[in-house]
Amino acid sequence: MKAVFKKYFIPHKENDYKPHFFREHIVTGFAAFLLLIFALTLVYSQVFLSNYNFLAQVLPPALIGLTNTDRAGNSLPELKINPVLVLAAKYKADDMAAKSYFAHTSPEGLTPWFWFGKAGYSFSYAGENLAIDFAESTDVNTAWMNSSGHRANILNKNFTEIGIATSKGFYQGHETTFVVQLFGRPLPVYQLNPPAKVQPTPLPTKTPMPSPTPQVAGEDVQIVAQNTGENSLYIEVKKANLYKILSSPNESLVYLYMILGAFVGLALIIMVAVEIKHQHPRHILYGLLLLLLIGGLIYLNLHLLPNKVLIV
């Protein structure tokens, strides 16, 4: 292993001070590999995911994980998934998809809280975030966190549970994915203990405690925001998982390119610094061209297909 590393990365007399990693056939193969994974990811993102709903690019589990990460960063407890809230979110997402509207209130005047009731969720606090036309889960979460009303919902200390659902449909003449994020805190159930039968005289009937008046968070989020597609490069690498990779193939590819770029850069530094008296400009140029290619692919990956995106 040591001999292989020395052969491919360390300039010395036996390899004519030309590490094999920067020779023509290796550089050509490495460049072809970079272009291949870019092409495969592009096909996966734009063709495969767009046509198969079971691998939708915006995945509820990924969004829930991102939401709880944001809450943890603000010293808030994580939200628990409630299947009833998921059902309510699915009702709302399907209704928007079926009727081609995108708003908190349906064309018939049904408010978000109607869907809570339809699913059978009684709440003391509730909130709703909506999104449409997003390509990846991370972009949805970033847009919500950049909007004061949506951020307030995500970081609301009164919420204890969450449910997210998506639905495919058409909006303004194009196919898209409707995303519904619901927050809730269940209505407390007060149970009165029966009076102890220690006296022959019945105890006075206790007056039941009144239930708290339901409160709704997020009434001020009736806004539409537009994402210009100017995605920022996130340097902080978050915990990777299968949902993250599937829902964010473009971002995952950016991280891969960053790792490969660091690898090429380190190899280039070693080649130049170890035997500084024996330099080969052509092979140094090969290394610089690889770095330029990686930088170009990162740029294309972030800006090739900007999408119009909306949140409500």
Side-chain angles (χ1 to χ4, degrees), residues 3-82:
V4 173
F5 180 80
K6 184 177 180 180
K7 174 181 177 181
Y8 280 87
F9 298 101
I10 306 297
H12 54 91
K13 186 176 181 179
E14 285 73 14
N15 60 17
D16 195 24
Y17 303 100
K18 303 174 184 176
H20 284 243
F21 181 76
F22 290 104
R23 296 196 178 189
E24 286 82 354
H25 64 288
I26 298 295
V27 170
T28 302
F30 191 74
F33 169 73
L34 294 173
L35 293 171
L36 177 63
I37 59 176
F38 176 80
L40 291 177
T41 303
L42 185 63
V43 172
Y44 175 77
S45 298
Q46 305 303 322
V47 179
F48 188 75
L49 288 181
S50 298
N51 291 283
Y52 293 94
N53 192 44
F54 71 96
L55 279 179
Q57 291 163 292
V58 179
L59 295 176
L63 279 174
I64 291 173
L66 291 167
T67 297
N68 280 327
T69 296
D70 291 329
R71 287 178 65 88
N74 287 272
S75 302
L76 293 170
E78 72 173 21
L79 301 174
K80 304 296 183 182
I81 301 173
N82 187 314

Side-chain angles (χ1 to χ4, degrees), residues 236-306:
E236 65 274 16
V237 180
K238 300 176 182 177
K239 182 179 179 181
N241 53 55
L242 181 59
Y243 286 122
K244 172 88 170 172
I245 294 172
L246 288 177
S247 65
S248 305
N250 294 336
E251 185 180 355
S252 300
L253 185 58
V254 167
Y255 289 141
L256 176 60
Y257 281 144
M258 290 171 63
I259 294 172
L260 293 177
F263 175 78
V264 173
L266 180 60
L268 188 60
I269 291 173
I270 292 174
M271 181 178 68
V272 174
V274 171
E275 288 290 344
I276 198 168
K277 295 180 180 180
H278 299 85
Q279 300 300 325
H280 298 276
R282 184 176 62 179
H283 296 278
I284 295 175
L285 177 62
Y286 291 157
L288 294 175
L289 288 176
L290 283 178
L291 291 177
L292 183 62
L293 175 62
I294 292 173
L297 291 176
I298 290 176
Y299 178 85
L300 289 176
N301 193 74
L302 294 175
H303 299 280
L304 181 62
L305 293 174

